[in-house]
Amino acid sequence: MDISNEASIDRFSIGPSTIVGRTIALRILFCRSMSHLRHHILHVLLNYTFRIRSLVVPLVSWLHPRNPQGILAMVVTVAFFLKRYTNVKAKAEMAYRRKFWRNMMRSALTYEEWAHAAKMLDKETPKMNESDLYDVELVRNKLQELRHRREEGSLRDIIFCMRADLIRNLGNMCNPELHKGRLQVPKLIKEYIDEVSTQLKMVYESDSEELSLEEKLAFMHETRHAFGRTALLLSGGASLGAFHIGVVKTLVEHKLLPRIIAGSSVGSIMCAVLATRSWPELQSFFEDSLHSLQFFDQLGGIFAVVKRVMTQGAVHEIRHLQWMLRQLTSNLTFQEAYDMTGRILGITVCSPRKHEPPRCLNYLTSPHVVVWSAVTASCAFPGLFEAQELMAKDRRGEIVPYHPPFNVDPEEGSGSSVRRWRDGSLEIDLPMIQLKELFNVNHFIVSQANPHIAPLLRLKDFVRAHGGSFAAKVCLCASSQ
């Protein structure tokens, strides 16, 4: 018999599909009639009603107005809920004020406005347990030891004590959470820093025969090397690099400008200004000469722009920028700028060549390169300016190419092509590794003007806040790549 054409019937369920439904259905099946079912349901409801009544009646009688204990319990309960409501409201208002002052700090136009907002935020912020952020006991013990050595008055004991533990991050007191958005450092850390400064002054101002001048110089040199140095880094960022001016101006006004300054692209312009001026000239520059920072020429008509793009591969003419930088830096070389101001200037450039690594130009690696040439090359972003050849001063003080084409046999032609350099931010926006290797820098003040870096900084804060295994996995992935 052929059954291939028979209709197929899908499976279907009969009755309830859940356990509760099947249990109820089973109880109904055991009932003899509908009246018996109604009687059973009524019995269950009455049973639960009597149970609830047995619980509610004593509670109501206990809260009777004639019962003082009940009245007291009611008042305490109401007061508890009112207090909880008041605390929640106060916390919400405090959180709103903290958010307001944080926004004021972000939108501050001057340091004074920022300082006022930071002071108010500090008042609204609950005091945190600082022992969770740094080793309070270690710093306190070291402070007591330094004070004890100073009271004894022995310079050799002072030197011995400071050489033992004078490091920048003693007890993790450089933890960013201790200083982020705060106007002042914790009191204990400030006392430690003041004590170290006092004892360093005691050493170099002492006229005692206990220490010779050579020993003092050796102590200062070795201590500075062990302690490390601070550098100011100014990133690229095109027109957003104007924000560097506010950062630098504030550091100059408060006399906190580091001696090591490095940058790339538009940041190198401000670095060149800082490294080629004496301190009085630098202070007057921000008052009278900010209008001179107009580096871009007028583009001209559409035909002029098209002609430059077709012939030079760039939108802007580089000669206007070169002329402005010559006026700002006075044709100084890296070595001359260092000799005149004592500040170390670093400018990053990269090569269009495939196998040539980027460079951080400074008075050690390229002492004879003129500063304006390095800045011009560091600003030569592809499409905006054409790549530039570095220029230097020869022994007679004349401006010559830094890497001239060289050929032993003149008959073979002009030899190798001209070596050109372009925007340093393409490969090495912030030369931290180079500064660490050359100048023992272990602390950086960074003015980052590139907008695409902001999401990465938020990710960094997120990883730092959550930490744990998640941070370890992120670091592992980053290192593997």
Side-chain angles (χ1 to χ4, degrees):
M1 180 178 179
D2 187 11
I3 61 174
S4 59
N5 294 328
E6 292 185 1
S8 60
I9 300 176
D10 296 334
R11 298 177 59 184
F12 61 93
S13 59
I14 299 176
S17 59
T18 62
I19 296 178
V20 176
R22 291 175 180 177
T23 303
I24 295 174
L26 186 63
R27 295 293 298 270
I28 293 174
L29 289 175
F30 279 107
C31 294
R32 293 188 295 271
S33 62
M34 291 299 296
S35 60
H36 184 267
L37 176 62
R38 287 194 295 269
H39 177 74
H40 185 70
I41 294 174
L42 181 61
H43 177 72
V44 172
L45 292 177
L46 289 175
N47 188 19
Y48 279 107
T49 302
F50 282 116
R51 288 184 181 181
I52 295 173
R53 183 179 178 183
S54 63
L55 295 175
V56 172
V57 170
L59 180 62
V60 173
S61 62
W62 192 67
L63 295 176
H64 195 272
R66 295 182 179 180
N67 186 4
Q69 295 179 351
I71 297 298
L72 180 61
M74 185 182 299
V75 171
V76 171
T77 304
V78 173
F80 173 76
F81 283 106
L82 288 177
K83 185 177 180 181
R84 288 292 302 271
Y85 171 75
T86 305
N87 290 340
V88 170
K89 185 178 180 181
K91 290 180 180 179
E93 292 177 352
M94 187 178 295
Y96 174 78
R97 289 194 296 268
R98 288 199 298 267
K99 183 178 180 181
F100 171 78
W101 290 117
R102 287 194 189 98
N103 293 334
M104 291 296 294
M105 291 172 64
R106 295 190 186 100
S107 59
L109 299 179
T110 63
Y111 174 76
E112 288 72 19
E113 294 179 4
W114 183 92
H116 174 69
K119 183 178 180 180
M120 298 304 296
L121 177 62
D122 199 26
K123 290 182 179 180
E124 298 291 343
T125 303
K127 291 186 178 180
M128 57 183 175
N129 187 8
E130 295 178 351
S131 60
D132 295 335
L133 301 177
Y134 77 105
D135 196 334
V136 176
E137 182 182 359
L138 174 62
V139 177
R140 183 183 293 112
N141 291 340
K142 193 62 184 177
L143 175 60
Q144 293 174 354
E145 182 182 359
L146 289 173
R147 287 174 175 173
H148 177 71
R149 300 293 184 186
R150 178 167 55 85
E151 291 172 358
E152 290 183 347
S154 174
L155 292 179
R156 292 195 178 275
D157 289 342
I158 290 175
I159 289 177
F160 181 84
C161 183
M162 283 197 292
R163 284 303 306 274
D165 269 332
L166 186 55
I167 57 177
R168 185 183 293 273
N169 196 19
L170 178 67
N172 197 30
M173 64 182 184
C174 291
N175 188 344
E177 297 299 325
L178 287 169
H179 313 283
K180 186 177 181 180
R182 299 185 63 178
L183 186 60
Q184 296 179 347
V185 299
K187 183 179 179 181
L188 180 61
I189 296 178
K190 186 177 185 302
E191 291 177 353
Y192 171 79
I193 295 174
D194 293 341
E195 184 64 28
V196 170
S197 301
T198 300
Q199 296 196 17
L200 288 174
K201 291 180 181 179
M202 285 180 59
V203 172
Y204 80 79
E205 291 179 352
S206 174
D207 296 331
S208 174
E209 297 180 355
E210 186 178 1
L211 285 177
S212 63
L213 179 60
E214 290 76 12
E215 289 176 316
K216 291 182 181 180
L217 290 175
F219 164 71
M220 292 295 179
H221 178 75
E222 294 167 358
T223 302
R224 187 187 71 171
H225 187 77
F227 188 77
R229 309 174 81 175
T230 301
L232 173 64
L233 300 182
L234 306 180
S235 73
S239 59
L240 296 178
F243 287 102
H244 295 325
I245 299 176
V247 175
V248 172
K249 182 180 179 182
T250 301
L251 292 175
V252 171
E253 289 176 351
H254 292 80
K255 298 182 179 180
L256 296 174
L257 185 68
R259 291 183 60 243
I260 302 175
I261 308 160
S264 62
S265 192
V266 68
S268 65
I269 299 176
M270 184 53 61
C271 290
V273 171
L274 296 175
T276 55
R277 279 167 172 74
S278 62
W279 191 256
E281 293 174 343
L282 199 56
Q283 291 176 315
S284 62
F285 176 81
F286 290 101
E287 298 175 359
D288 307 325
S289 304
L290 283 178
H291 63 277
S292 62
L293 299 178
Q294 303 291 336
F295 300 104
F296 296 98
D297 61 334
Q298 298 295 327
L299 288 177
I302 184 64
F303 295 105
V305 174
V306 172
K307 182 180 179 181
R308 278 199 297 266
V309 172
M310 296 298 293
T311 57
Q312 303 176 8
V315 174
H316 280 279
E317 175 61 53
I318 198 70
R319 287 179 294 181
H320 179 74
L321 176 62
Q322 290 176 341
W323 181 82
M324 292 293 298
L325 291 172
R326 283 178 183 239
Q327 301 299 317
L328 286 173
T329 61
S330 304
N331 266 348
L332 293 176
T333 65
F334 282 91
Q335 183 68 54
E336 292 171 345
Y338 174 72
D339 294 338
M340 184 180 73
T341 65
R343 301 188 191 95
I344 299 173
L345 172 63
I347 295 177
T348 59
V349 294
C350 63
S351 174
R353 296 172 180 266
K354 181 179 180 180
H355 300 290
E356 186 160 10
R359 291 192 179 189
C360 179
L361 306 177
N362 53 74
Y363 85 99
L364 292 180
T365 60
S366 51
H368 307 303
V369 173
V370 288
V371 174
W372 65 261
S373 173
V375 176
T376 304
S378 187
C379 292
F381 189 84
L384 186 63
F385 294 116
E386 58 180 331
Q388 294 297 301
E389 181 181 10
L390 291 177
M391 308 300 289
K393 283 185 180 180
D394 60 10
R395 291 179 296 175
R396 296 179 294 274
E398 297 179 358
I399 304 298
V400 296
Y402 186 55
H403 297 297
F406 179 76
N407 192 358
V408 178
D409 189 0
E411 296 181 357
E412 294 183 1
S414 59
S416 60
S417 60
V418 176
R419 294 173 64 182
R420 297 184 180 274
W421 304 86
R422 59 186 181 184
D423 196 331
S425 62
L426 295 173
E427 296 186 36
I428 179 172
D429 191 25
L430 303 174
M432 293 184 177
I433 297 178
Q434 289 78 2
L435 295 180
K436 288 180 180 179
E437 295 174 350
L438 291 172
F439 304 109
N440 192 36
V441 177
N442 59 2
H443 187 259
F444 297 94
I445 302 173
V446 180
S447 177
Q448 179 58 260
N450 285 310
H452 62 274
I453 301 297
L456 300 179
L457 295 178
R458 294 193 185 97
L459 177 62
K460 179 182 177 182
D461 293 338
F462 176 81
V463 172
R464 179 182 295 168
H466 291 78
S469 59
F470 178 74
K473 291 179 181 178
V474 171
C475 294
L476 181 62
C477 293
S479 61
S480 63
Q481 293 177 357

